[in-house]
């Protein structure tokens, strides 16, 4: 800071920003980073488990979202701190790779950082802490494989139980089992069991306001959020032969900027007759193939619409590109870009096409069912308002992803914090065999794993320390890795009996991703702020 004078002799102060902003180094930088990460983790901690609380998020334009999905909360939060943004990316990675466990992975990362902070204060080098965490994570991942159970795909009930565990904390638990069954049936409809793969792009999710949550259903076909282009066209078509067009049902427009001037009435009538002839020729080409339903990506004007209706050719216009691709897959149709290429072998088929209307507003949708290739399905969500429908879609997406993971790897571990406590016990045993300083980090990792069941117990209204200690003692005494926290107050800690399952691959990914981000944060020992060097 220095004093200066202007041309009139008036004094003013010059403040140099570079001096005030500076940089943070060493332990102070690591503590600041850990504090920022813990602040984000503490927000999500109360959303964990079947009794977890929801968060209300208001966007700048006033839209309100109520959810307890970790990825959604972090995505819509305005996080300015760079370490906080790392945790947002962590949750997003878990969502992209696994689909569920987005809250748990952030809570685990926060617990690890909290324990790491205590080790740093004791003078242990950050890299030794990170290496100890890596060793502990390797032990935990291997132990999860040892305690995991296997089930066959034919056992649909196990898939439903896992989906129900996923949906236990969601807003849709009023229709708990029906929603889980919809998620399982949707995945099984599109799954390739030989390759052990599921293409989630074949599962379309659509929703309409009005009706009850229980009215949500799985359509083994495609739901198109459009109606027939003319109100007098038939609303139901059986044994439909449909053609999918990406060319407009209208005369070609000049590609130049020249104007077309019609000076006489006869010239206008001639042009109108030519356009009508053009429409009739297009309709004839479609009818000659045996088609009785046209699905067009583009719109068509009133004249084309009227001629289609007169020629008994129902049509749906303005159908999106994604829906067109799904229709082509489901109905075994070829997408036709030009009328000259339209042939009978490019038509698709469907057993039933009908238009449905909803509620007092009479919103209309076209449902295409009984397709020859049922690989494409639609989950049609109903709800009282848009907020409920959006949360139901997010919840079903999580359940569908979990069932997809089971098709890939048919291994399950037990929820309710049972797998975390089992891994904690194992890591604590293995840490005694390590002679180096990493054993302190391994024990800290074991303590951090117990914070997840602690949060489950706390959110369920139980005494977290007492509950976790009791479950841990039972696991050690009985040697059963499926004993967890009784969040639903059913009177038993046996997660097998309660039917609380999680996918092995999802739980392993949670641990590995959390350790990866914690390692990254611990390695940062110098935070240079903007304006430090000017």
């Amino acid at each position: 800071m220095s004093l200066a004078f202007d041309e009139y002799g008036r004094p003013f102060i010059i403040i140099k920003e570079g001096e005030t902003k500076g940089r943070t180094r060493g332990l102070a930088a690591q503590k600041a980073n850990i504090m920022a990460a813990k602040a984000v983790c503490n927000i999500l901690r109360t959303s964990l488990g079947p009794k977890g609380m929801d968060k209300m998020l208001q966007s700048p334009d006033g839209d309100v979202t109520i959810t307890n999905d970790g990825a959604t909360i972090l995505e819509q939060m305005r996080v300015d701190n760079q370490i906080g943004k790392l945790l947002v990316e962590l949750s997003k990675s878990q969502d992209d790779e696994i689909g569920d466990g987005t809250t748990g992975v952030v809570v685990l990362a926060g617990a690890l950082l909290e324990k790491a902070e205590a080790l740093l204060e004791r003078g242990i080098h950050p890299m030794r802490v990170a290496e100890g965490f890596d060793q502990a994570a390797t032990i935990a991942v291997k132990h999860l494989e040892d305690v995991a159970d296997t089930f066959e795909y034919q056992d649909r009930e196990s898939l439903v139980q896992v989906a129900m565990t996923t949906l236990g904390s969601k807003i849709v638990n009023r229709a708990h089992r029906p929603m889980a069954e919809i998620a399982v049936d949707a995945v099984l409809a599109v799954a390739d069991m030989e390759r052990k793969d599921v293409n989630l792009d074949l599962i379309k999710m659509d929703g309409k306001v009005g009706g009850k949550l229980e009215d949500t259903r799985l359509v083994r076909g495609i739901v198109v959020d459009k109606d027939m282009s003319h109100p007098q066209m038939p609303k139901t078509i059986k044994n439909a032969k449909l053609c999918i067009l990406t060319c407009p049902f209208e005369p070609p427009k000049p590609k130049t900027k020249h104007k077309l001037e019609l000076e006489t009435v006869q010239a206008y009538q001639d042009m109108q007759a030519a356009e009508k002839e053009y429409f009739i020729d297009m309709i004839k080409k479609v009818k000659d193939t045996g088609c009785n339903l046209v699905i067009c990506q583009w719109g068509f004007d009133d004249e084309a619409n009227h001629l289609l209706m007169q020629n008994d050719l129902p049509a749906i216009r303005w159908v999106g590109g994604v829906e067109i691709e799904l229709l082509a897959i489901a109905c075994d149709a070829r997408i036709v870009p030009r009328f000259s290429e339209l042939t009978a072998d490019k038509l698709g088929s469907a057993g039933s096409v009908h238009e449905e209307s909803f509620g007092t507003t009479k919103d209309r949708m076209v449902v295409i069912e009984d397709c020859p290739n049922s690989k494409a399905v639609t989950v049609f969500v109903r709800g009282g308002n848009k907020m409920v429908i959006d949360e139901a879609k997010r919840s079903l997406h999580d359940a569908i992803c979990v069932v997809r993971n089971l098709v890939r790897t048919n291994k399950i571990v037990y929820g309710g914090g049972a797998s975390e406590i089992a891994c904690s016990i194992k890591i604590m045993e293995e840490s005694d065999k390590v002679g180096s300083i990493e054993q302190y980090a391994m024990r800290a990792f074991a303590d951090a794993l117990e914070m997840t069941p602690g949060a489950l117990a706390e959110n369920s209204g139980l005494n977290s320390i007492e509950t976790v200690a009791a479950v841990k003692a039972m696991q050690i005494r009985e040697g059963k890795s499926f004993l967890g926290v009784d969040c639903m107050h059913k009177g038993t800690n046996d997660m097998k009996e309660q039917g609380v399952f999680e996918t092995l691959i999802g739980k392993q990914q949670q641990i590995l991703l959390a350790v990866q981000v914690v390692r990254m944060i611990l390695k940062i020992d110098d935070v240079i702020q903007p304006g430090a060097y000017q």
Side-chain angles (χ1 to χ4, degrees):
M1 188 170 72
S2 60
L3 188 67
F5 297 89
D6 62 10
E7 64 269 28
Y8 300 107
R10 293 178 299 204
F12 61 90
I13 296 170
I14 299 173
I15 298 174
K16 296 178 182 177
E17 286 192 3
E19 289 182 5
T20 57
K21 288 198 172 178
R23 58 198 276 191
T24 313
R25 309 184 198 185
L27 186 60
Q30 285 153 351
K31 279 189 170 184
N33 293 340
I34 289 171
M35 190 182 296
K38 278 164 60 181
V40 175
C41 297
N42 289 336
I43 292 170
L44 290 191
R45 186 181 165 89
T46 55
S47 294
L48 192 66
K51 299 289 183 75
M53 309 298 278
D54 291 346
K55 300 283 181 277
M56 179 184 283
L57 304 156
Q58 186 174 2
S59 65
D61 56 356
D63 288 342
V64 173
T65 303
I66 297 175
T67 181
N68 70 350
D69 180 59
T72 307
I73 293 168
L74 289 176
E75 187 183 342
Q76 297 199 13
M77 273 173 59
R78 184 181 167 183
V79 182
D80 291 331
N81 187 281
Q82 297 306 314
I83 300 300
K85 287 179 182 176
L86 265 180
L87 293 177
V88 175
E89 291 301 315
L90 168 65
S91 184
K92 189 174 184 301
S93 299
Q94 178 76 10
D95 196 35
D96 291 343
E97 292 184 37
I98 302 299
D100 189 38
T102 51
T103 307
V105 71
V106 177
V107 170
L108 178 58
L112 288 171
L113 287 168
E114 193 174 317
K115 297 297 177 186
E117 186 177 18
L119 295 175
L120 295 176
E121 286 178 347
R122 291 172 66 179
I124 299 175
H125 194 275
M127 288 316 300
R128 303 300 291 273
V129 175
E131 284 163 13
F133 281 176
D134 284 342
Q135 288 181 33
T138 305
I139 294 166
V141 167
K142 186 177 182 304
H143 187 62
L144 283 172
E145 286 181 4
D146 295 338
V147 301
D149 279 352
T150 308
F151 68 93
E152 299 301 323
Y153 296 131
Q154 288 77 13
D155 188 5
R156 178 175 173 271
E157 184 57 30
S158 294
L159 290 170
V160 172
Q161 289 293 339
V162 177
M164 284 175 71
T165 304
T166 309
L167 296 170
S169 61
K170 311 294 184 185
I171 203 169
V172 299
N173 59 6
R174 193 180 78 199
H176 201 173
R177 188 176 179 87
M179 288 291 187
E181 289 176 347
I182 286 170
V184 171
D185 292 340
V187 172
L188 292 179
V190 304
D192 186 339
M193 292 303 186
E194 290 180 8
R195 290 173 52 231
K196 290 190 175 181
D197 190 32
V198 179
N199 184 0
L200 291 184
D201 292 336
L202 296 176
I203 302 175
K204 183 183 175 224
M205 210 167 289
D206 214 331
K208 272 285 183 186
V209 173
K212 299 177 292 185
L213 202 60
E214 290 83 353
D215 294 337
T216 300
R217 62 191 174 102
L218 179 69
V219 178
R220 295 190 180 273
I222 308 297
V223 176
V224 183
D225 192 6
K226 303 291 175 186
D227 55 358
M228 294 295 179
S229 61
H230 196 288
Q232 293 180 11
M233 286 178 178
K235 308 298 182 192
T236 304
I237 303 165
K238 297 292 182 185
N239 300 318
K241 293 285 182 185
L242 51 94
C243 71
I244 299 175
L245 302 174
T246 55
C247 46
F249 235 108
E250 57 187 22
K253 291 182 171 61
K255 301 297 181 188
T256 64
K257 293 183 180 179
H258 294 93
K259 292 181 181 179
L260 179 65
E261 292 187 2
L262 304 174
E263 296 180 351
T264 63
V265 174
Q266 186 61 39
Y268 179 78
Q269 289 174 345
D270 290 345
M271 187 196 71
Q272 196 175 27
E275 279 193 359
K276 186 174 180 179
E277 189 63 35
Y278 199 90
F279 283 135
I280 290 170
D281 180 57
M282 287 191 292
I283 292 169
K284 184 176 182 301
K285 283 178 181 174
V286 174
K287 293 277 282 187
D288 287 348
T289 61
C291 171
N292 59 3
L293 176 64
V294 174
I295 294 172
C296 187
Q297 187 177 11
W298 303 102
F300 28 84
D301 59 19
D302 290 342
E303 187 176 0
N305 208 6
H306 176 69
L307 288 169
L308 284 165
M309 192 270 293
Q310 276 193 332
N311 286 274
D312 297 322
L313 190 58
I316 306 168
R317 57 185 168 183
W318 299 120
V319 180
V322 175
E323 291 169 330
I324 275 182
E325 289 178 9
L326 284 172
L327 281 169
I329 293 168
C331 301
D332 280 338
R334 295 282 298 279
I335 297 172
V336 181
R338 283 177 287 274
F339 282 97
S340 57
E341 296 179 13
L342 185 60
T343 55
D345 61 322
K346 293 181 180 178
L347 299 182
S349 59
S352 168
V353 178
H354 64 278
E355 187 180 280
E356 292 185 8
S357 59
F358 304 99
T360 54
T361 56
K362 296 298 179 187
D363 283 341
R364 293 179 178 84
M365 299 182 86
V366 175
V367 180
I368 300 166
E369 292 180 304
D370 300 331
C371 304
N373 182 4
S374 62
K375 282 289 183 187
V377 296
T378 303
V379 178
F380 185 44
V381 184
R382 304 299 308 281
N385 57 37
K386 188 175 180 296
M387 198 186 306
V388 171
I389 287 174
D390 289 343
E391 180 63 5
K393 283 183 182 179
R394 283 190 288 269
S395 305
L396 282 167
H397 173 262
D398 285 358
I400 285 168
C401 286
V402 166
V403 178
R404 184 267 311 264
N405 295 333
L406 281 174
V407 172
R408 287 178 172 175
T409 309
N410 60 338
K411 294 272 191 180
I412 54 170
V413 292
Y414 295 94
S419 52
E420 282 92 347
I421 292 172
C423 289
S424 172
I425 294 167
K426 181 69 176 174
I427 292 167
M428 200 63 84
E429 288 174 8
E430 294 295 321
S431 68
D432 293 335
K433 301 173 188 175
V434 177
S436 61
I437 204 168
E438 279 82 8
Q439 64 175 294
Y440 290 99
M442 292 173 73
R443 287 178 187 142
F445 192 100
D447 290 341
L449 282 173
E450 291 178 13
M451 291 182 77
T452 299
L456 287 173
E458 192 178 317
N459 293 343
S460 303
L462 303 170
N463 185 319
S464 59
I465 298 172
E466 182 185 346
T467 304
V468 174
V471 174
K472 187 176 178 181
M474 277 192 286
Q475 280 207 19
I476 294 170
R477 186 172 63 249
E478 300 177 24
K480 295 176 180 176
S481 61
F482 49 80
L483 298 175
V485 178
D486 180 18
C487 298
M488 304 304 291
H489 309 295
K490 291 187 177 179
T492 176
N493 294 100
D494 191 331
M495 295 296 113
K496 268 188 183 177
E497 190 179 324
Q498 286 201 27
V500 181
F501 308 112
E502 295 181 73
T503 57
L504 170 65
I505 188 173
K507 187 59 71 178
Q508 288 177 327
Q509 193 69 23
Q510 262 191 18
I511 293 171
L512 293 173
L513 281 174
V515 170
Q516 186 180 349
V517 167
V518 168
R519 185 186 183 92
M520 198 183 302
I521 292 172
L522 289 176
K523 285 182 75 174
I524 300 170
D525 74 334
D526 203 343
V527 179
I528 301 172
Q529 296 175 349
Y533 298 101
Q534 291 182 351

